[in-house]
Amino acid sequence: MNEWFKKTFGTIKEKWGKWSLVQKIILIGVIVVVIAAIIILLSVSSNKASVRLFNSPVEAAQQRSIVSRLQRDGIDADVDGEGYITVESNDIAKKYRSQLVAEGYLPKETDPWSLFDTQKWTRTSFDDRVNWKRAMEGQVEQHLEQLDGIRSAHVTLSLPEETAFADDQNPTTASVILFPKYGSDVLSSRSKVQGIQHLVELSVEGLTSDNISLVNGDTNEEINDFDSMEAADRINNIDKQQKLIRKLESKYSTDVVTALQKTYGTDRVRIANMKIDMDMSERESNGKKYSGINIKDDNPNTVYDDSITVESLKLSEETVIKSQTGTGYNPEGPAGIEGQNPPVYSDMSNVIGETKEEGAKINYALNEEHYSETKSPTIDRVTISVNIDGTWDYPQYDEKGKIKRSPSGGYLREYYGISDEELAEVTRLVKNAVGFNAARGDSVEVTNIKIDRTEQFREEDARLIKSENTKRTIMFVLIGIAIVLVLFIIFRLISKEIERRKRLREEELLRRQQQEREQALWDAKEQGMEVTLSVEERRRAELQENAIAMAKEHPEDVAMLIRTWLMEE
């Protein structure tokens, strides 16, 4: 194989050498063009494909809302120059077409039929009607299964034949069985169920929400019967209202406790009760109010109120004075017609009399205010009870600096309560914290009741007793160790003294034996006797002579050796 490569490479090299410069340039140019074409092809093929989300352009306002909705799910969406929204793949387009329609993001210009690629199915042919119905059911099922939380779906459509008169036309109906994924709330949330119903309604021409039946396949319950869900919605609203009240109570309690704990510590403040009564109803009212007319505003620089307010202002006044002397009134009617006056007027006919009329008309201006207001949920009453514990004085010390003890052996404690003046100040602080309003019946109580700290004191006393017992035990152990050390030192000194005396006796005995031996040798030498030494004696003599000679030659080493022996002993 290597020989073939060598032969091929040699052939190419030989031919390359025979080519002219022009041929070489042409070959290099062809190779460069091929490589550039391959690079361009790869770059074009690697570009992300764009699929239109809807088959019609979208308005600018809806473009922003739809693109923002897709970006919340991490989907890259673009808008081309013609106003079409594009995504990366066809799978994403299929999924989010259904989801956006279910959430109410369907563009106004978009035909619902464009959401389903059913243009190849026609509704004008009777022969293709059954196939068209199957295709429609399959498309609706496919789009429903693209929704999050739907495991599978089964759709049955009833498409009646068209009649000549609209009154005789049967409605289009749809029966949808949905199987949710485990742990999903897609079929228990009212808003999501309404979105699914809206999606199915737009999927079939002529279908209305009244003719759609959505059924939970796991429980066989109809989930789009919203009339029967009013009671559940009412319970949910009550639960939300109670959560709002508890949240408000928790906020007020936290504000009060936080403010007081900075002064009295974290363990002395207790919230005994925190109750807020709220009116959660919303009411609208219209009416008018009459109030006084302000002539002069109050001067804020003065300590008193110098404003001037009057009930009304006189706009105009008219005085009327009438006086008449002569014949009295005769209300008989026109001449020539018999009158129908009552007897009392007939009797007064042609009677001479005098009539006077005096009066005055005055127009006043009033301050009239028309109002129209909507009352949202308001707080009806706030009730709060706060208890603050006093202080305990302990540990207490006597004249000698020792801790005073109770009869049980623990700390001697003394309790100090809170004065009435301080309680009044705390009450004023709590009222301001909760927005106290006497007009609505709010109640704020701050008490000084001793908190039961029996367990705490029992634990502290137990720790004190245990600490003293531990100190006492440690002291006894240290004393025992000191005694043992002293006895050991004494025993060691006595042992060394006994060994020293024993060694001195042995040395003295050896010295005497050596002296006697030397004396015997000396006596024998003077008497001219030959003395035969034993092997041990000769060896001992040699060692002694060698030691003497070494001591003379190396006195420092011998001194070091003797010092080491003495230190070891």
Side-chain angles (χ1 to χ4, degrees):
M1 194 69 179
N2 293 332
E3 294 179 358
W4 181 82
F5 277 114
K6 291 179 180 179
K7 185 177 180 180
T8 303
F9 182 74
T11 302
I12 295 172
K13 185 176 180 181
E14 182 180 356
K15 291 182 177 181
W16 175 263
K18 295 179 180 180
W19 285 2
S20 63
L21 180 62
V22 176
Q23 292 176 334
K24 293 179 181 179
I25 293 174
I26 292 172
L27 179 61
I28 294 173
V30 171
I31 294 174
V32 170
V33 170
V34 171
I35 294 174
I38 293 173
I39 294 173
I40 293 173
L41 180 62
L42 292 176
S43 62
V44 171
S45 62
S46 62
N47 290 336
K48 295 182 179 179
S50 59
V51 179
R52 289 181 178 179
L53 187 62
F54 299 105
N55 292 333
S56 61
V58 184
E59 292 182 354
Q62 290 185 322
Q63 287 176 6
R64 291 190 294 270
S65 61
I66 294 174
V67 171
S68 299
R69 173 62 184 84
L70 294 174
Q71 289 178 352
R72 285 202 302 268
D73 291 348
I75 304 300
D76 293 333
D78 296 325
V79 180
D80 57 15
E82 299 178 359
Y84 290 93
I85 299 177
T86 60
V87 293
E88 295 180 359
S89 63
N90 193 25
D91 294 337
I92 296 176
K94 289 182 179 179
K95 176 180 178 181
Y96 279 93
R97 284 193 194 114
S98 304
Q99 189 164 346
L100 290 174
V101 171
E103 295 177 2
Y105 286 94
L106 179 65
K108 298 178 181 179
E109 301 82 1
T110 303
D111 184 6
W113 289 95
S114 64
L115 297 175
F116 311 94
D117 296 331
T118 58
Q119 288 83 355
K120 62 182 180 179
W121 305 101
T122 175
R123 299 180 65 245
T124 60
S125 176
F126 178 79
D127 295 336
D128 295 336
R129 186 176 183 81
V130 175
N131 294 332
W132 180 87
K133 177 176 175 293
R134 291 178 180 176
M136 178 61 66
E137 291 174 350
Q139 287 287 0
V140 176
E141 290 177 359
Q142 180 181 0
H143 281 272
L144 289 175
E145 291 174 355
Q146 292 290 336
L147 298 177
D148 291 337
I150 300 298
R151 187 170 76 252
S152 62
H154 180 72
V155 179
T156 301
L157 300 177
S158 175
L159 305 175
E161 296 182 358
E162 295 183 358
T163 60
F165 300 98
D167 295 338
D168 298 335
Q169 179 68 45
N170 294 325
T172 303
T173 60
S175 176
V176 182
I177 301 177
L178 301 173
F179 295 90
K181 294 181 181 179
Y182 298 105
S184 175
D185 63 340
V186 65
L187 301 184
S188 60
S189 174
R190 181 168 183 173
S191 60
K192 295 181 180 179
V193 173
Q194 287 177 340
I196 295 174
Q197 178 176 295
H198 184 61
L199 173 63
V200 176
E201 181 181 357
L202 293 178
S203 302
V204 182
E205 183 181 5
L207 184 62
T208 60
S209 60
D210 296 335
N211 296 321
I212 299 175
S213 177
L214 302 180
V215 178
N216 188 339
D218 294 338
T219 61
N220 296 327
E221 296 179 355
E222 189 175 4
I223 59 176
N224 64 330
D225 186 9
F226 300 116
D227 294 335
S228 61
M229 296 175 64
E230 291 181 358
D233 293 340
R234 181 174 177 274
I235 293 174
N236 292 334
N237 291 333
I238 293 175
D239 184 52
K240 292 179 180 178
Q241 293 172 3
Q242 294 298 324
K243 288 182 179 178
L244 176 61
I245 293 175
R246 288 194 295 270
K247 182 179 179 180
L248 194 58
E249 291 175 350
S250 176
K251 179 182 179 301
Y252 280 8
S253 300
T254 303
D255 293 342
V256 172
V257 171
T258 302
L260 295 179
Q261 283 181 349
K262 293 180 180 180
T263 304
Y264 296 101
T266 58
D267 195 37
R268 293 177 56 190
V269 181
R270 301 286 192 276
I271 299 293
N273 176 48
M274 181 65 209
K275 178 64 177 176
I276 296 178
D277 298 328
M278 295 188 66
D279 182 7
M280 306 301 295
S281 60
E282 294 185 358
R283 300 186 301 274
E284 295 183 0
S285 59
N286 299 319
K288 56 183 178 180
K289 297 179 181 178
Y290 294 98
S291 59
I293 300 175
N294 190 15
I295 303 299
K296 178 184 177 183
D297 294 331
D298 181 27
N299 186 4
N301 297 325
T302 60
V303 296
Y304 56 88
D305 185 6
D306 59 350
S307 62
I308 300 176
T309 303
V310 296
E311 296 181 355
S312 62
L313 290 178
K314 183 186 294 185
L315 297 180
S316 63
E317 181 178 1
E318 180 182 359
T319 303
V320 178
I321 300 176
K322 292 182 179 182
S323 180
Q324 180 181 356
T325 301
T327 303
Y329 292 103
N330 185 13
E332 291 185 357
I337 299 176
E338 183 180 358
Q340 298 180 356
N341 294 331
V344 63
Y345 284 106
S346 299
D347 294 341
M348 295 177 61
S349 177
N350 299 322
V351 176
I352 304 301
E354 183 179 356
T355 302
K356 291 184 179 181
E357 180 180 353
E358 295 181 0
K361 295 181 180 180
I362 303 175
N363 294 326
Y364 291 97
L366 301 177
N367 190 6
E368 181 178 345
E369 177 184 359
H370 294 267
Y371 66 90
S372 176
E373 61 182 2
T374 300
K375 293 185 177 180
S376 299
T378 56
I379 297 177
D380 288 344
R381 189 167 184 264
V382 177
T383 303
I384 183 171
S385 299
V386 181
N387 181 51
I388 303 177
D389 191 15
T391 57
W392 291 89
D393 183 17
Y394 73 97
Q396 300 180 10
Y397 298 92
D398 55 11
E399 294 80 2
K400 298 181 179 179
K402 295 183 179 180
I403 298 176
K404 294 183 180 180
R405 300 298 187 88
S406 63
S408 61
Y411 292 106
L412 182 63
R413 298 176 176 86
E414 186 175 357
Y415 180 79
Y416 295 96
I418 301 176
S419 62
D420 296 337
E421 293 80 6
E422 189 173 355
L423 286 178
E425 292 294 328
V426 175
T427 303
R428 187 166 60 87
L429 174 65
V430 175
K431 286 182 178 181
N432 292 331
V434 301
F436 179 81
N437 187 357
R440 65 187 181 191
D442 292 353
S443 176
V444 175
E445 291 291 338
V446 180
T447 60
N448 175 216
I449 301 175
K450 186 188 302 183
I451 297 176
D452 184 17
R453 301 181 183 274
T454 304
E455 293 297 329
Q456 176 186 347
F457 292 162
R458 184 181 292 113
E459 293 177 359
E460 292 177 352
D461 294 343
R463 286 197 296 268
L464 176 63
I465 296 173
K466 181 179 179 181
S467 176
E468 292 192 349
N469 292 335
T470 302
K471 292 180 180 178
R472 191 179 297 108
T473 302
I474 293 174
M475 187 187 308
F476 290 156
V477 170
L478 292 176
I479 292 173
I481 293 173
I483 293 173
V484 170
L485 289 176
V486 171
L487 293 177
F488 178 76
I489 293 172
I490 294 174
F491 174 76
R492 184 66 177 171
L493 293 175
I494 294 173
S495 299
K496 284 188 175 182
E497 183 63 23
I498 293 173
E499 291 178 358
R500 188 181 66 81
R501 292 184 180 185
K502 182 178 179 181
R503 188 174 61 254
L504 291 177
R505 286 198 301 269
E506 291 177 354
E507 291 178 356
E508 182 66 22
L509 180 61
L510 291 175
R511 189 181 62 78
R512 290 179 181 179
Q513 291 177 357
Q514 180 67 22
Q515 186 177 2
E516 291 177 356
R517 189 181 297 108
E518 292 178 355
Q519 185 64 35
L521 291 174
W522 180 260
D523 293 341
K525 185 177 180 181
E526 288 183 351
Q527 294 177 4
M529 299 175 59
E530 291 183 2
V531 180
T532 304
L533 299 177
S534 62
V535 178
E536 294 181 357
E537 290 178 350
R538 284 199 301 271
R539 187 176 179 180
R540 183 187 299 274
E542 291 177 0
L543 291 175
Q544 185 175 1
E545 291 177 359
N546 292 334
I548 293 171
M550 185 177 294
K552 291 180 180 180
E553 294 178 359
H554 305 285
E556 295 180 357
D557 295 340
V558 174
M560 183 67 69
L561 178 61
I562 296 173
R563 189 180 299 109
T564 304
W565 287 348
L566 293 176
M567 290 176 64
E568 290 179 355
E569 294 179 357

